[in-house]
DNA sequence: ACGCCCGCCTGTAAGC
DNA sequence: TGCTTACAGGCGGGCG
């Protein structure tokens, strides 16, 4: 399941591969992938003819900025892939739902068997919007807005642990302001954007904290350790181009697997010896999902 | 405010 | 062997 490191890997590759390209045609095979739009036709019309200016990311969302100021937002859900191919003749994988063809040949394919992911265009100014903005005065003409304001659909997201650097003291204050299990909090996209089941387990192991510790029970040292673990674990996973597990779907822009699964300390290691203390890694089920941890190293 | 469940989906794998 | 069932979980919504 693509989380922040996998999406960041895609972002880096996309900025090299598609920035400056112009969209010639868009084909939508499964309308569910563009469900925020009234129709596939509507989505296509907003994307065709546009050029790609830059590629950003917020949490697990890719933000592909277009030359008219709108943004193509992509979320991969559980099983989504974004694949760059040089020729339209390359065989199309099953569940290819959207194909973006560029003028200079080659295409970008959106593949998603489980259709939990989606694509949508944000901030496209219709004639009515333009009129409204003109009436509202000068504020709409300012060049670059922060992402959360520019894309109202993502305004609910919390801080991005890679993009939004903060002091550990501030993080500790945020932890104390909440009351709940650490794992649920890490995975709450309104608290921190981009951490899912896999990386929350790895982060908690790296910080030596149990998934069910309460966020307002941490000492200053523990809060600092947790903040460091978040930043360092994600950075390390990005260096390794993300995690691809045997039963999972993650592939980078070129269809290659990531490398970080070899570094996992707890995730998907039930019954295997802890790499630090040799005790068996435990799996517990909470709220329908698995948590992997070491009962000895995490307190 | 928080925990927990559901529905949305399909591929894989375990169980009978 | 072949069918059925469970499981995987991101996210939004609902409910207690």
């Amino acid at each position: 399941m693509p989380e922040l490191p996998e999406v960041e890997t895609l972002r880096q590759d996309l900025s090299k591969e598609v920035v400056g390209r112009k969209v010639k045609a868009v084909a939508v095979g499964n309308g569910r992938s563009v469900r925020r739009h009234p129709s596939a036709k509507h989505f296509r019309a907003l994307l065709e003819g546009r050029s790609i200016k830059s590629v950003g990311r917020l949490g697990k969302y890719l933000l592909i900025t277009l030359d008219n100021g709108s943004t193509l937002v992509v979320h991969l859900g559980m099983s989504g892939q974004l694949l760059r191919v040089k020729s339209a003749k390359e065989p199309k994988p099953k569940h290819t739902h959207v194909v973006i063809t560029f003028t200079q040949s080659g295409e970008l394919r959106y593949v998603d068997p489980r259709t939990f992911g989606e694509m949508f265009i944000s901030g496209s100014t219709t004639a009515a919007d333009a009129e409204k903005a003109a009436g509202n005065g000068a504020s709409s003409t300012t060049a670059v807005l922060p992402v959360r304001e520019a894309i109202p659909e993502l305004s609910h997201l919390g801080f991005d642990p890679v993009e939004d650097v903060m002091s550990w003291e501030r993080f500790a204050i945020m932890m104390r302001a909440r009351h709940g299990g650490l794992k649920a909090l890490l995975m709450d996209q309104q608290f921190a954007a981009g951490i899912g089941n896999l990386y929350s387990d790895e982060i908690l192991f790296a910080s030596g904290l149990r998934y069910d510790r309460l966020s307002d029970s941490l000492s200053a040292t523990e809060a600092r350790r947790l903040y460091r673990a978040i930043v360092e674990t994600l950075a390390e996973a990005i260096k390794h181009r993300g995690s691809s597990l045997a039963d999972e779907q993650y592939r980078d822009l070129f269809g290659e697997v990531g490398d970080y699964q070899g570094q996992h300390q707890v995730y998907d290691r039930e019954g295997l010896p802890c790499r630090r203390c040799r005790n068996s890694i435990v799996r517990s089920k909470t709220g329908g999902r698995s948590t992997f941890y070491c009962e000895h190293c995490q307190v």
Side-chain angles (χ1 to χ4, degrees):
Chain A
M1 74 247 46
E3 300 179 27
L4 190 153
E6 290 76 27
V7 178
E8 174 61 19
T9 301
L10 274 174
R11 187 202 65 75
Q12 291 171 5
D13 291 344
L14 281 166
S15 22
K16 288 182 202 135
E17 286 288 318
V18 305
V19 167
R21 293 195 183 275
K22 186 176 178 182
V23 177
K24 184 164 79 178
V26 177
V28 178
N30 185 344
R32 187 173 144 75
S33 297
V34 294
R35 55 190 172 273
R36 289 202 199 213
H37 293 273
S39 67
K41 196 179 166 186
H42 182 262
F43 171 78
R44 287 179 50 201
L46 294 176
L47 191 51
E48 283 176 346
R50 301 271 63 83
S51 291
I52 294 172
K53 297 286 277 186
S54 61
V55 186
R57 182 191 55 73
L58 177 57
K60 302 173 193 171
Y61 292 84
L62 275 171
L63 312 171
I64 303 174
T65 308
L66 305 174
D67 59 356
N68 64 349
S70 64
T71 306
L72 168 61
V73 181
V74 183
H75 192 285
L76 300 172
M78 287 295 299
S79 58
Q81 295 177 357
L82 219 41
L83 298 166
R84 168 98 176 97
V85 294
K86 296 288 181 193
S87 162
K89 293 194 180 90
E90 300 229 4
K92 272 192 187 58
K94 219 175 164 180
H95 307 294
T96 301
H97 301 319
V98 179
V99 177
I100 297 169
T101 307
F102 298 113
T103 52
Q104 299 293 96
S105 91
E107 45 186 51
L108 190 61
R109 294 170 174 176
Y110 178 69
V111 182
D112 186 13
R114 288 158 77 175
T115 67
F116 281 13
E118 59 166 337
M119 288 179 128
F120 63 91
I121 314 278
S122 175
S124 55
T125 30
T126 62
D129 289 338
E131 224 172 288
K132 206 171 28 168
N136 282 348
S139 64
S140 63
T141 60
T142 37
V144 186
L145 287 168
V147 175
R148 284 169 195 75
E149 286 171 51
I151 304 169
E153 293 90 339
L154 305 185
S155 62
H156 64 286
L157 293 177
F159 76 101
D160 183 292
V162 169
E163 294 285 317
D164 306 323
V165 178
M166 69 175 84
S167 66
W168 72 264
E169 288 95 340
R170 185 171 167 217
F171 176 78
I173 290 166
M174 289 170 70
M175 296 299 288
R176 250 176 280 135
R178 299 288 220 106
H179 177 78
L182 284 186
K183 173 150 176 170
L185 186 54
L186 287 180
M187 288 181 61
D188 181 354
Q189 302 301 298
Q190 299 185 48
F191 176 74
I195 301 169
N197 202 41
L198 191 161
Y199 290 103
S200 62
D201 283 4
E202 293 299 319
I203 287 165
L204 287 168
F205 177 84
S207 56
L209 297 167
R210 274 176 64 109
Y211 67 98
D212 53 358
R213 275 290 295 280
L214 296 176
S215 58
D216 54 359
S217 80
L218 300 187
S219 67
T221 308
E222 288 174 327
R224 184 175 59 201
R225 250 174 26 219
L226 178 56
Y227 183 66
R228 275 200 190 167
I230 291 171
V231 174
E232 285 171 12
T233 301
L234 295 174
E236 199 59 22
I238 291 166
K239 270 189 206 162
H240 286 267
R241 299 184 61 80
S243 303
S244 300
L245 285 123
D247 56 334
E248 284 171 4
Q249 304 272 338
Y250 173 69
R251 291 282 189 283
D252 68 16
L253 193 59
F254 314 103
E256 303 294 323
V257 296
D259 209 34
Y260 191 66
Q261 60 279 5
Q263 308 294 122
H264 289 178
Q265 303 293 308
V266 286
Y267 189 80
D268 209 19
R269 287 178 48 79
E270 183 186 15
L272 295 172
C274 171
R275 300 200 150 122
R276 192 180 287 162
C277 76
R278 304 275 104 191
N279 277 11
S280 253
I281 299 302
V282 174
R283 174 189 201 145
S284 93
K285 299 241 187 185
T286 355
R289 52 201 50 169
S290 291
T291 291
F292 300 90
Y293 69 105
C294 173
E295 285 183 302
H296 181 255
C297 295
Q298 295 173 256
V299 294

